[in-house]
Amino acid sequence: MGVILAMDIGGTQLRAAVYPANNTTPLAIKRSATHGQEPGAFDRLTALIDSIWPQEPVEAISIAIPGPINPYTGFIIETPNISSLSKFPIGEKLAGRYHVPIFAGNDANLAALGEWRYGAGLGHHDLIYMTISTGIGGGVISNDQLLLGSHGLAAELGHVTVLPDGPVCSCGQRGHLEGIASGPGITRYVIEKLAEGISSSLATKTNLTTLDISEAAARGDQLARAAFAYAGEFIGLALANYLQIFNPSIVILGGGVSQSGDLILEPIKASLQQHVMDPYYLEGFELTTARLGDDVGLLGALAQAQIQLTAK
Ligand SMILES: [Zn+2]
């Protein structure tokens, strides 16, 4: 039996791992920087693949992309942090070079697959994964299938309107959940309140980060706590909508903001209970945090290849 080469393209790091086709323990794992002097991101990617290429036959290359991608054609629509890969036919380019099946998917969708197959979602058939960090991404597993949609562009759970006249989102639209509840959204809330004259230990801080706010909240800073409560309220509201649309048995939260623990989880739970149309949706329902850590993209890519190869 051959091996699977899993790749995760991140905004700062490229990761590659070789997995046995039926196992999650990597035979090899390598990383390199996404950006740098020449060459560009794609050449850096192929250099990494060449350097980890195994002796065993490679059954497939499976790759997690940080942006919307058409997984049916392997065409990247956009990669906000890596301009050279936007509108780029990565599937075609890799297939032409390596002559093995290429599978590519959005990183949040693949994280949902990874958590479902190997992580916090094990045993569930209907699952929602949401990552909350610089942006908010998501993936939906419905009846043991990853929801992709007609162009493979499902499920942008962060780009839903929750406050029509709210702040401008990274996508350009106004009032999206990502604009309010992502790391930059939480930071913006604090900066706006400080400008209004609200007192806080954060007033003297320059280059404010979500971590600073989280630490201030742990020390009892009221503004910092209010910032997480505000974000949590909108995340809970969005989740109530998702529960009614998809009726999952579990929601898994990943990304840096979810690591703030009860600071963000408690307001999410309270808001979810307040906004869900019927408490029956919450019976046996689990809200939890991701389990796979930094390797979630690689394991999601592995899961994608295993599913696709089995379906052939
Ligand atoms: Zn948006």
Side-chain angles (χ1 to χ4, degrees):
M1 190 178 273
V3 296
I4 290 167
L5 186 51
M7 311 281 308
D8 183 15
I9 301 182
T12 54
Q13 212 175 45
L14 305 172
R15 296 164 194 253
V18 176
Y19 290 99
N22 55 0
N23 194 311
T24 57
T25 307
L27 300 168
I29 190 157
K30 272 195 170 184
R31 297 178 175 85
S32 73
T34 307
H35 301 283
Q37 301 296 320
E38 295 293 309
F42 182 70
D43 291 331
R44 300 174 81 84
L45 187 73
T46 53
L48 183 61
I49 295 175
D50 294 347
S51 75
I52 203 174
W53 195 265
Q55 299 288 323
E56 299 89 343
V58 173
E59 306 234 336
I61 297 174
S62 185
I63 185 160
I65 308 291
I69 168 161
N70 185 328
Y72 308 119
T73 61
F75 186 81
I76 299 176
I77 314 283
E78 203 191 337
T79 41
N81 297 312
I82 314 164
S83 56
S84 63
L85 292 182
S86 282
K87 308 216 169 5
F88 187 78
I90 197 163
E92 202 181 297
K93 294 278 185 191
L94 289 175
R97 185 178 168 112
Y98 295 104
H99 310 289
V100 297
I102 309 293
F103 306 117
N106 167 265
D107 56 1
N109 275 345
L110 297 191
L113 266 190
E115 288 288 344
W116 169 62
R117 211 166 155 110
Y118 307 119
L122 210 63
H124 288 265
H125 305 290
D126 298 276
L127 166 158
I128 287 177
Y129 171 86
M130 187 189 251
T131 172
I132 312 164
S133 55
T134 312
I136 295 184
V140 174
I141 308 272
S142 185
N143 198 15
D144 291 327
Q145 293 277 329
L146 178 67
L147 182 80
L148 288 174
S150 66
H151 295 105
L153 300 179
E156 291 289 356
L157 303 181
H159 299 280
V160 292
T161 307
V162 291
L163 187 68
D165 294 321
V168 177
C169 181
S170 67
C171 72
Q173 298 282 351
R174 222 171 238 291
H176 280 182
L177 180 64
E178 176 173 305
I180 295 170
S182 62
I186 293 171
T187 307
R188 184 203 287 121
Y189 176 93
V190 170
I191 291 169
E192 281 176 7
K193 293 292 172 193
L194 288 173
E196 287 171 19
I198 306 245
S199 67
S200 161
S201 62
L202 294 166
T204 53
K205 199 95 191 165
T206 47
N207 298 324
L208 197 62
T209 65
T210 322
L211 185 63
D212 296 329
I213 302 169
S214 172
E215 286 171 357
R219 292 192 305 266
D221 187 280
Q222 287 305 311
L223 175 58
R225 297 188 73 85
F228 279 101
Y230 187 73
E233 186 185 333
F234 283 97
I235 295 168
L237 183 154
L239 288 183
N241 290 327
Y242 306 149
L243 254 62
Q244 287 147 204
I245 299 168
F246 302 108
N247 189 201
S249 53
I250 187 169
V251 168
I252 302 169
L253 300 178
V257 173
S258 67
Q259 286 165 16
S260 306
D262 284 347
L263 260 180
I264 189 86
L265 290 176
E266 290 305 322
I268 290 175
K269 283 180 196 163
S271 171
L272 181 52
Q273 272 164 0
Q274 186 197 334
H275 291 287
V276 78
M277 66 180 271
D278 191 303
Y280 199 72
Y281 284 98
L282 298 171
E283 266 187 37
F285 168 77
E286 213 179 311
L287 176 69
T288 190
T289 48
R291 203 176 287 166
L292 296 183
D294 279 352
D295 285 340
V296 66
L298 289 175
L299 288 167
L302 172 67
Q304 168 175 254
Q306 289 172 332
I307 291 165
Q308 296 286 341
L309 290 170
T310 313
K312 276 194 165 184

